[in-house]
Amino acid sequence: RAAQVEAEGLTAMGAILVLGLAVGAMVMFALERIPLEVSSLALITVLALSGVLTPEEAFSGIANDTVIFIFALLAMTQGLASTGVMQIVGRRMAFARRWGERPWLASLLATVAAFSSLASNTAVTAAFLPIASAAAARARIPRSRVLMPMAWSSMLGGMIFLYGTSTNLVVSEAMTRFGLAPLGFAELARVGLPVAALTIALLVLFSRRLVPERRGGERRQQPLGHRIFVTEAVVTPQSRLIGTPLDELAGAIDAEVIGMVRGKEWIRADRGDLKLQAGDRIVVRGSRRAMLRIKDLRSLVLEAELALDPRQAASHMLAEAFVPPHSPLVGRTLRELLFSTRFGLVALAIHRHPGAQAPAGPLSGLHDIGDVELAAGDVLLLSGPARRLRELEDGSFLEVLGSIDYRRPRYGKAALAALIFGTALAAAALDLLPSAIAGLVGLLAMIGTGCVDTQEAFRIEWRVVLLIGALLGLGTAMEKSGAGELLAQFLVPAAPYLGPRGLMFVVMALTVALSAPMSNQAAALVVLPIAIHLANLLGVEPRAFAVATCLAASCSFITPLEPSAALVFGPGRYRFVDFVRAGTPLTVLLLALFTVLVPIGWPL
């Protein structure tokens, strides 16, 4: 009896230790005073040193098949981005705006959700952000009324299929450690699909009331220190922009149009009665990203690149160069300097130093950037051979601020990238190959066929991979030490008052609350052991509680801290309270729907 009491005491101490580590990990992840990857590795190390887990158990999460598949999935998503798959679809979708605001918004949200059901919602939001912004401007819809619903739709898409978000994958893997079968590829769709469709319909119908209107978002005011460039672009003979009214061009290219030169006539941007013709020279202003996006359009070509061989332009590097006060270039124009001939470089765009700008703007009446007199502090966006850029590093003429890691999307390989991505997912979903192997084969196929190069493919969020591996180890520790069961016992006394459905709502609310300071994956993995043990103590089906936890982790609508929401926070000119006001009723609605529908899909 004494030995039994001692063993129970040691078990309780182990559970309390693991709970303490879980709380400490949540605090570290929320504050991020220590880099996330360091916190993750520290958590694994402490679990091994404390003896709660063996070293093999502690580090098994990092080498887990699911973690490897998540890595491959994130890397393959880079392949979709580098080939412009989502951008192509988004531009094709733009025709729906002629039907009106609501049909266009419905098509946008449905398309974003469809992509997010299979790919990273953060990557999908990033890809559609410029497309949605430009289309909203062209349709004269406040950008703020579009971007928040778009980010939420990407999160809703993650509720549909297993591969929609890494949270689904890690929950599925963690479920097997509690004796439950992993989630099926379309298992979540029985609830996730109707809930996502209903929520998107509500966003379309009530976005004007639910989402704040920030019309200031349409003005391209940039944060302090953000450089605004000016460039000239020529409408190509095969351009799809031919016939577009001049006052709608800004929305089509997501940059501010200053004016247009036709022949020798200067035409202001507010001449909306004029329609674009081949050969028109458009003077535009915007961020560096906007300049590079215009550079990629087939309908426009930067005038500075017209004299270049396209094969040479494809191999050129990009860099920003600063005009120092002592430079011989000060007071002289690019045309006067014969800049391209002298330096072997092309000036794609120019940022005027604020002190050199006249009140009329960065060109001050000039319609050709080749005629702009350079001033100290101006910044040139340059394109040219790496050797020529290195020759500027002495700083006597220009000081190179840094090269720009930029690659033109490989549009010609978009169909191939989509085929490889879909085949890899199908092979994993149909169990033709183990998921990790299917993902790695798909990644290698993308690299081998040139859809994505190695550098781009491995430019993923490694912190997420380490975090998931560490939290899988924490989940094992909570199960092994009985920490999850200990927490569940605190909720059992409320069963007579709330019932199984009420406690399911509490578990989901806890998941949503933790997903604000932590990541969605972290919140789900912390709550999952509690949910499963609570279901076991209540004598109901634990799979229903596990699925509810998984779905609730995708409901981080209340704050802009979720990566997809963070991406649109600035462009939409939102305030933190906007997400609280609009996201709170939406979150409560979703949790209520899950409370009703999950026990129907997975009977208690």
Side-chain angles (χ1 to χ4, degrees):
R1 177 63 181 171
Q4 183 180 357
V5 171
E6 183 180 358
E8 291 175 353
L10 290 174
T11 301
M13 289 179 60
I16 294 172
L17 173 62
V18 172
L19 288 176
L21 288 175
V23 172
M26 285 188 282
V27 172
M28 286 194 298
F29 294 153
L31 297 179
E32 290 197 55
R33 297 287 178 85
I34 302 173
L36 194 62
E37 55 271 35
V38 177
S39 301
S40 301
L41 292 174
L43 176 61
I44 297 173
T45 304
V46 172
L47 286 172
L49 288 175
S50 65
V52 175
L53 297 180
T54 65
E56 291 77 13
E57 290 172 330
F59 292 97
S60 62
I62 295 178
N64 186 275
D65 288 352
T66 300
V67 175
I68 295 172
F69 181 66
I70 290 171
F71 151 71
L73 197 62
L74 292 173
M76 284 194 292
T77 301
Q78 291 289 99
L80 294 181
S82 67
T83 54
V85 171
M86 289 169 277
Q87 291 91 332
I88 292 173
V89 174
R91 288 171 187 153
R92 297 292 185 272
M93 182 202 66
F95 76 92
R97 63 174 171 260
R98 70 187 65 177
W99 299 337
E101 177 180 342
R102 283 179 174 170
W104 172 77
L105 183 59
S107 66
L108 172 68
L109 302 189
T111 303
V112 169
F115 270 105
S116 296
S117 68
L118 295 171
S120 162
N121 60 350
T122 305
V124 172
T125 302
F128 275 88
L129 178 58
I131 300 165
S133 299
R138 187 169 184 176
R140 293 181 173 84
I141 302 171
R143 185 183 301 187
S144 61
R145 221 159 59 211
V146 173
L147 298 187
M148 186 186 289
M150 183 189 72
W152 285 346
S153 293
S154 73
M155 295 156 64
L156 291 167
M159 302 177 182
I160 300 174
F161 295 127
L162 176 63
Y163 303 144
T165 173
S166 57
T167 303
N168 299 345
L169 290 166
V170 297
V171 169
S172 179
E173 166 61 25
M175 287 169 62
T176 63
R177 304 188 179 196
F178 295 92
L180 301 177
L183 294 171
F185 172 73
E187 184 175 354
L188 295 176
R190 66 182 76 167
V191 168
L193 181 58
V195 168
L198 175 62
T199 307
I200 288 173
L202 292 174
L203 288 174
V204 172
L205 292 174
F206 301 107
S207 63
R208 293 187 179 184
R209 296 182 181 179
L210 187 65
V211 181
E213 187 171 303
R214 303 271 186 249
R215 288 197 174 271
E218 272 61 65
R219 297 183 59 82
R220 287 171 178 80
Q221 300 170 1
Q222 303 293 341
L224 187 63
H226 192 94
R227 286 190 282 273
I228 300 298
F229 288 89
V230 178
T231 192
E232 293 170 285
V234 179
V235 180
T236 61
Q238 300 81 23
S239 174
R240 294 182 179 178
L241 297 173
I242 293 175
T244 300
L246 180 59
D247 64 349
E248 294 186 10
L249 180 60
I253 63 176
D254 196 27
E256 182 179 356
V257 176
I258 298 175
M260 178 180 76
V261 178
R262 177 175 292 171
K264 295 184 178 180
E265 179 187 3
W266 169 252
I267 302 170
R268 296 190 314 176
D270 57 2
R271 287 283 302 278
D273 56 320
L274 283 180
K275 295 186 177 181
L276 296 180
Q277 299 177 4
D280 287 344
R281 289 169 47 217
I282 314 298
V283 182
V284 297
R285 172 170 52 196
S287 65
R288 185 181 74 188
R289 179 179 295 181
M291 300 296 102
L292 298 179
R293 191 159 51 242
I294 293 170
K295 172 182 166 65
D296 282 339
L297 293 176
R298 299 177 183 178
S299 296
L300 293 174
V301 59
L302 295 184
E303 187 176 37
E305 292 191 309
L306 286 175
L308 293 179
D309 184 328
R311 291 170 295 182
Q312 293 178 342
S315 62
H316 282 183
M317 291 183 62
L318 295 170
E320 290 180 341
F322 166 78
V323 180
H326 55 75
S327 173
L329 306 184
V330 174
R332 306 179 70 183
T333 68
L334 295 173
R335 195 183 312 282
E336 177 188 350
L337 291 165
L338 299 175
F339 186 83
S340 296
T341 303
R342 182 173 184 178
F343 294 96
L345 300 167
V346 173
L348 301 178
I350 181 172
H351 161 76
R352 296 291 283 164
H353 185 271
Q357 294 184 21
L363 286 184
S364 186
L366 293 171
H367 311 142
D368 191 328
I369 64 170
D371 293 329
V372 176
E373 288 190 1
L374 297 178
D378 288 350
V379 178
L380 300 176
L381 180 61
L382 301 177
S383 173
R387 175 179 58 84
R388 289 289 197 170
L389 289 171
R390 284 194 295 269
E391 290 174 357
L392 294 178
E393 291 181 353
D394 63 358
S396 57
F397 288 91
L398 294 167
E399 293 183 5
V400 178
L401 298 177
S403 61
I404 300 170
D405 189 9
Y406 172 78
R407 293 172 178 81
R408 179 185 177 89
R410 304 169 176 87
Y411 291 112
K413 295 184 180 292
L416 179 59
L419 177 63
I420 292 172
F421 185 81
T423 302
L425 292 190
L430 299 174
D431 288 330
L432 301 178
L433 288 173
S435 59
I437 301 301
L440 291 177
V441 169
L443 173 58
L444 292 173
M446 279 198 178
I447 294 174
T449 56
C451 294
V452 63
D453 60 35
T454 306
Q455 184 178 2
E456 288 175 303
F458 287 87
R459 194 182 297 136
I460 66 170
E461 189 57 73
W462 286 102
R463 300 174 7 146
V464 173
V465 177
L466 284 174
L467 173 65
I468 292 170
L471 289 171
L472 284 174
L474 179 61
T476 301
M478 292 189 74
E479 168 64 13
K480 186 176 179 180
S481 66
E485 185 175 2
L486 183 64
L487 276 179
Q489 288 174 351
F490 283 100
L491 294 175
V492 170
Y497 308 100
L498 299 177
R501 290 175 184 263
L503 288 176
M504 179 182 288
F505 185 92
V506 171
V507 166
M508 290 190 293
L510 177 61
T511 306
V512 172
L514 289 179
S515 66
M518 304 168 62
S519 70
N520 297 352
Q521 301 94 337
L525 287 175
V526 168
V527 176
L528 184 65
I530 304 170
I532 292 177
H533 284 298
L534 180 60
N536 288 330
L537 291 172
L538 294 173
V540 297
E541 174 56 52
R543 190 173 193 81
F545 274 68
V547 168
T549 303
C550 182
L551 292 171
S554 295
C555 296
S556 304
F557 301 128
I558 298 178
T559 71
L561 302 179
E562 206 278 344
S564 290
L567 283 173
V568 303
F569 185 80
R573 290 284 177 120
Y574 299 114
R575 300 169 186 163
F576 192 94
V577 71
D578 294 336
F579 281 85
V580 177
R581 289 172 179 170
T584 299
L586 188 62
T587 300
V588 173
L589 173 64
L590 286 176
L591 295 187
L593 288 173
F594 291 149
T595 303
V596 174
L597 297 177
V598 169
I600 296 175
W602 295 265
L604 295 174

